[in-house]
Amino acid sequence: MRPYTYAAARSVGEALERAGDGSAYLAGGTTLVDLMKLEVVSPAHVVDITAVPLRGIRRGPRGLFIGAMERMADVAGHHLVAEPYPVVAEALRQSASPQIRNMATIGGNLLQRTRCGYFRDPATPCNRREPGSGCPAVDGHNRSHAILGTSDACVATHPSDLAVALTALDARLSLRGAGGERTLRLADFYRLPGGTPHLENELRPGELITGVTVPALPWARRSTYVKVRDRRSYEFALCSAAVAVHVKGGVIREARVAAGGVGTRPWRLPAVEEALRGRPMRTETFEAAVAHAADGARPLARNAFKPALLRRTIVRALVHLAG
Amino acid sequence: MEEQSQDDGVSRRGFLLTSAAAAALAATAENPRPAAAAATAAPAEVVEVALEVNGKARTLALDPRVTLLDALRERLDLTGTKKGCDRGQCGACTVHVDGRRVLSCLTLAAGLGGKAVTTVEGLAEGDRLHPVQRAFVACDGLQCGFCTPGQVMSAVALIEEGHAGSEAEIREYMSGNICRCGAYQQIVQAVRMAKEEA
Ligand SMILES: Cc1cc2nc3c(=O)[nH]c(=O)nc-3n(C[C@H](O)[C@H](O)[C@H](O)COP(=O)(O)OP(=O)(O)OC[C@H]3O[C@@H](n4cnc5c(N)ncnc54)[C@H](O)[C@@H]3O)c2cc1C
Ligand code: FES
Ligand code: FES
């Protein structure tokens, strides 16, 4: 690990003041400390925000607000989350391990970095880590990589399960920087890699995520998160699906579908949602609706199974919600 | 978990430390790595941290890069907490901070001012083992024993969290602790036994 100076902030103002060129905020540390050890990131200054009161899980006029410093375990177990938004609680409970969920925060989770082995190994090239150095994953070990939203410069997936659930629910981020506050749809926050995979999102230097708002969506009580992975637990998704349906009289009125493990960012599937709308809630509908889920996908040498896996994962989530 | 003294009076840990130091010296002589050079050249910042470890007040002056795991093992001589992967992937380093189980390898010690840390050394009361420790002994919940301190710390927390309801739940909530020897069956049994006693 490279040397850095360390300071703990007690308020948002103090955190913003202490942040500067080459600084990094420390929340749960489960991404940052790991990547500093690997020397994938080497900030000159670490600003510890664990004492900054970005807390609270509460219902407001615009939906459910979750403070950025709330821990994954506490959010997963909270009744204001688990009852109205099962998809969020299930995504969190299937993330990482109990120990990590006790440490990791909602803000940090949304800013975690890709698990691509080349990104994590500074001895290899990686356009995301070192712009212009190349992407060995395109022709290398790419079984776990993305098939949607990829470019010749980068095929890494976004690894957060929570982000997939929040994308399905159209959540908004509250951000606070030196220039004031702003809000952004999570869907507009993550960038596609294109030719600049090192620019991962819209966060400005020194800006803080202060919280997430999940819009009120009464029918999201009928929602679920299905995660397919190489191990039963404590493993990232090969493919996942966050699905919510509004069913009335056996007919699907509204649907939300987003996928993880397949895209360079959390992947909303509006075409699948559209194909579900107005159809009976049964397997034939599901099979037909997912037929085009992977349209435009660019499978790689070792992950040609992913388009079919994506379709099956969404169907499994829908079957679960039908049952 | 006391380290055993060997016949020549050199503990295994003492021997390992000496060998590691010798290896490090050899590495610097033959192959001075630029990263290591930069680390020594930079003005070393020191952060002072006052925390409680197993009920005792401790004050440490630390490089801000030091993890809780390294502080426990290298500074406080509490070597019960194990370093498996040092990357958050195995659970061997599990300890409790303010009563919650966390990974000490991904926790910076600098941020622990005012916190209470419990390690596996802090579970027993004198010679009387914690019920979870007794259950691990009774059920043979280990083979090589390297993962055991982490398993025990996780199991203690899991029972308090109320996540030891069924075998499936125990397996899921113990999944953050990998056992290379594959003693899982007996570990699950031990957790069930300890839960019944609790
Ligand atoms: C072994 C392992 C397995 C895992 N498995 C999964 C999994 O299955 N699913 C999953 O979703 N995740 C998984 N994770 C990732 C884990 O969820 C993230 O590491 C964690 O959520 C990051 O949160 P943190 O609070 O620890 O962030 P930190 O490490 O503290 O921070 C992460 C990044 O976000 C920045 N940051 C943090 N908070 C803020 C804020 N409020 N404002 C601005 N910037 C901020 C930091 O500067 C840093 O760049 C796993 C991690 C490990 C180590
Ligand atoms: S040593 Fe901390 S998780 Fe492996
Ligand atoms: S007993 Fe050997 S690793 Fe678990």
Side-chain angles (χ1 to χ4, degrees):
Chain A
M1 220 190 288
R2 303 295 176 93
Y4 53 77
T5 52
Y6 169 92
R10 278 157 306 170
S11 65
V12 168
E14 226 175 78
L16 295 176
E17 222 165 81
R18 290 182 186 277
D21 241 10
S23 74
Y25 291 123
L26 175 78
T30 61
T31 287
L32 185 66
V33 175
D34 183 28
L35 293 181
M36 289 197 301
K37 286 185 188 186
L38 295 168
E39 296 190 359
V40 169
V41 297
S42 298
H45 187 50
V46 169
V47 181
D48 187 334
I49 55 170
T50 45
V52 176
L54 294 172
R55 293 297 176 98
I57 301 174
R58 52 184 179 267
R59 221 174 0 215
R62 275 170 302 165
L64 177 74
F65 175 83
I66 307 172
M69 288 304 298
E70 290 292 341
R71 312 282 169 169
M72 290 169 74
D74 300 330
V75 177
H78 201 283
H79 67 101
L80 286 180
V81 177
E83 285 157 28
Y85 308 103
V87 62
V88 174
E90 289 174 22
L92 285 169
R93 277 203 305 270
Q94 294 178 69
S95 297
S97 71
Q99 291 96 311
I100 293 171
R101 298 197 295 271
N102 274 345
M103 306 167 71
T105 63
I106 298 306
N109 183 288
L110 298 176
L111 292 172
Q112 65 177 292
R113 311 293 297 275
T114 184
R115 303 299 291 197
C116 170
Y118 300 106
F119 173 78
R120 289 173 58 80
D121 179 2
T124 63
C126 168
N127 288 326
R128 195 171 277 266
R129 181 167 30 75
E130 217 173 293
S133 62
C135 175
V138 168
D139 297 309
H141 292 277
N142 51 34
R143 178 171 175 274
S144 65
H145 287 67
I147 53 170
L148 291 160
T150 58
S151 71
D152 294 340
C154 184
V155 292
T157 54
H158 192 277
S160 165
D161 293 297
L162 174 67
V164 177
L166 291 179
T167 296
L169 297 173
D170 207 12
R172 272 146 225 274
L173 289 180
S174 302
L175 306 170
R176 176 103 172 256
E181 285 183 66
R182 60 186 183 126
T183 61
L184 210 57
R185 290 174 64 220
L186 189 60
D188 299 328
F189 180 69
Y190 296 115
R191 294 190 188 187
L192 290 173
T196 53
H198 61 290
L199 304 174
E200 297 186 349
N201 56 52
E202 299 295 331
L203 197 72
R204 296 174 186 151
E207 203 169 27
L208 270 174
I209 296 182
T210 53
V212 180
T213 301
V214 191
L217 195 69
W219 51 270
R221 277 175 190 276
R222 196 160 179 181
S223 64
T224 192
Y225 190 76
V226 171
K227 181 171 176 181
V228 180
R229 41 189 162 170
D230 285 331
R231 293 193 286 207
R232 181 78 170 266
S233 186
Y234 202 8
E235 183 57 277
F236 290 91
L238 270 179
C239 182
S240 68
V243 179
V245 284
H246 180 32
V247 184
K248 247 186 168 168
V251 174
I252 303 169
R253 303 288 161 161
E254 280 295 338
R256 296 288 181 86
V257 181
V262 288
T264 50
R265 62 182 183 192
W267 209 259
R268 183 93 178 255
L269 289 157
V272 177
E273 296 173 3
E274 180 56 39
L276 288 168
R277 238 172 259 138
R279 303 281 153 83
M281 182 72 184
R282 58 166 186 253
T283 311
E284 296 75 51
T285 301
F286 310 156
E287 297 284 358
V290 299
H292 300 290
D295 280 1
R298 299 205 308 173
L300 302 160
R302 296 175 195 226
N303 69 11
F305 61 90
K306 281 203 174 182
L309 184 61
L310 170 61
R311 291 189 289 269
R312 305 317 312 155
T313 307
I314 300 168
V315 169
R316 198 203 283 181
L318 285 162
V319 167
H320 174 77
L321 291 176
Chain B
M1 296 231 157
E2 198 100 329
E3 297 289 353
Q4 282 212 316
S5 278
Q6 296 181 338
D7 290 343
D8 57 4
V10 182
S11 76
R12 185 169 60 91
R13 179 169 164 73
F15 173 75
L16 288 174
L17 279 177
T18 325
S19 338
L25 270 180
T28 4
E30 281 162 28
N31 177 23
R33 291 175 55 226
T40 30
E45 210 203 15
V46 174
V47 181
E48 192 155 294
V49 191
L51 72 171
E52 197 186 288
V53 181
N54 297 332
K56 274 195 216 120
R58 312 294 293 249
T59 303
L60 292 168
L62 296 162
D63 182 310
R65 291 172 290 180
V66 172
T67 60
L68 172 58
L69 176 60
D70 286 338
L72 290 169
R73 293 182 54 86
E74 311 296 334
R75 297 289 299 276
L76 299 174
D77 217 20
L78 291 168
T79 55
T81 307
K82 299 302 179 207
K83 183 184 281 192
C85 64
D86 210 23
R87 297 284 180 273
Q89 298 174 4
C90 76
C93 65
T94 303
V95 301
H96 300 177
V97 172
D98 285 351
R100 284 162 74 108
R101 52 173 158 156
V102 299
L103 300 176
S104 60
C105 73
L106 293 184
T107 302
L108 291 183
L112 292 177
K115 307 265 184 206
V117 177
T118 307
T119 70
V120 71
E121 290 95 338
L123 289 182
E125 283 175 29
D127 281 344
R128 196 169 161 72
L129 292 180
H130 187 281
V132 169
Q133 292 173 306
R134 285 205 301 274
F136 268 72
V137 173
C139 297
D140 262 339
L142 60 140
Q143 288 176 40
C144 78
F146 191 83
C147 70
T148 313
Q151 302 278 2
V152 167
M153 295 311 286
S154 245
V156 170
L158 161 114
I159 294 168
E160 281 167 15
E161 291 160 11
H163 283 136
S166 64
E167 180 162 335
E169 194 181 21
I170 293 171
R171 284 184 180 277
E172 174 57 33
Y173 281 85
M174 285 296 287
S175 69
N177 293 80
I178 308 289
C179 175
R180 284 296 302 270
C181 297
Y184 295 111
Q185 199 59 41
Q186 293 86 334
I187 291 170
V188 172
Q189 271 172 26
V191 177
R192 298 199 86 160
M193 176 188 270
K195 196 231 164 184
E196 250 121 71
E197 275 182 37

